Amino acid sequence: MATRLSRERVVEAAVRLADEEGFDALSLAAVARVFGVAVPSLYKHVESLDALRAEVALVAVRELTDRMRRAAVGRARGEALRALARACRAYVREHPGRYAATVRAVGPDDPLAAERLAALDEALEVIYAVLRGYGIEGEDLVDAARALRSAMHGFALLEAAGGFGLPRHVDRSYEAMLDAFDAMLERWGERMVGSKGGRRAAAGRSPRRAR
């Protein structure tokens, strides 16, 4: 049985288990059971549980980034915002365990720190591209991206936990939130166009790793 193992297959199994059992519940023992092997057999392909969780996080960030990029491409402002946000919500609903891995912090001892930081930067660039469509630039991109990510993340987690019990369809509430964000970002961009000084001087710079 052990001859069937490879790093790729071990990671694929871990990704599936993250969705089925939850990212926090992911263990080497659970992955070993998928292949019918003892845990030590996995160490030929993955160094540790932390390394395996980092692999899952990397896969998930890349998948989510691709979803958001494909959704937003060819669109601008409100259309791009709504397409990106809907794609993000759909990913969370389809892959809750993988999504949980995307928000896992990248520590100094993370086995895939460089790869994960690069992947997270790509995800941010997709969000920044949508925000730039509103005329938001420079360090304001950080503030706007954090606000948007917080709204999407908070809504998705509350929805997943069954936290919306009022008699109104959740889809309508999500769309209302996006309408409000669209209006806010429009005003934010207009404010920047009319501003002068340091903020305008910062336009064009792309903040990195402002998570």
Side-chain angles (χ1 to χ4, degrees):
M1 297 289 285
T3 57
R4 298 189 296 109
L5 292 179
S6 67
R7 189 179 189 87
E8 291 73 21
R9 294 196 68 195
V10 169
V11 172
E12 287 173 3
V15 166
R16 290 194 302 272
L17 285 171
D19 281 339
E20 294 169 3
E21 301 181 5
F23 181 67
D24 290 338
L26 181 63
S27 68
L28 292 176
V31 175
R33 284 195 295 271
V34 171
F35 296 101
V37 301
V39 170
S41 298
L42 299 181
Y43 290 120
K44 300 175 183 178
H45 311 284
V46 63
E47 295 78 9
S48 64
L49 178 58
D50 281 344
L52 185 59
R53 287 180 170 172
E55 291 275 10
V56 173
L58 182 60
V59 169
V61 170
R62 286 172 173 169
E63 286 181 345
L64 179 56
T65 300
D66 183 62
R67 286 275 194 102
M68 294 191 300
R69 180 184 291 117
R70 286 189 289 110
V73 68
R75 296 180 169 88
R77 291 182 178 260
E79 287 189 2
L81 171 71
R82 290 175 178 83
L84 180 146
R86 290 166 185 160
C88 182
R89 181 183 176 213
Y91 186 83
V92 178
R93 297 170 82 174
E94 293 169 26
H95 303 295
R98 299 184 206 187
Y99 177 74
T102 68
V103 295
R104 178 177 180 265
V106 182
D109 298 324
D110 192 294
L112 294 175
E115 293 93 331
R116 290 189 59 212
L117 288 172
L120 288 168
D121 278 343
E122 288 186 24
L124 276 173
E125 283 301 328
V126 174
I127 295 174
Y128 285 157
V130 171
L131 296 174
R132 288 191 186 99
Y134 288 92
I136 300 172
E137 292 286 356
E139 294 303 316
D140 275 44
L141 281 172
V142 177
D143 299 330
R146 285 175 173 169
L148 178 58
R149 288 186 63 219
S150 296
M152 294 190 301
H153 175 74
F155 195 103
L157 291 191
L158 284 168
E159 181 179 21
F164 296 129
L166 295 176
R168 182 172 176 81
H169 201 287
V170 177
D171 290 349
R172 294 185 64 181
S173 296
Y174 196 67
E175 293 301 317
M177 182 184 78
L178 298 182
D179 288 345
F181 246 90
D182 179 34
M184 179 191 73
L185 293 173
E186 289 282 3
R187 291 194 298 272
W188 200 328
E190 291 170 1
R191 185 191 69 188
M192 289 203 68
V193 169
S195 69
K196 297 180 181 180
R199 186 178 293 123
R200 290 296 296 275
R205 293 206 300 268
S206 179
R208 310 297 290 179
R209 295 173 188 163
R211 287 177 283 280

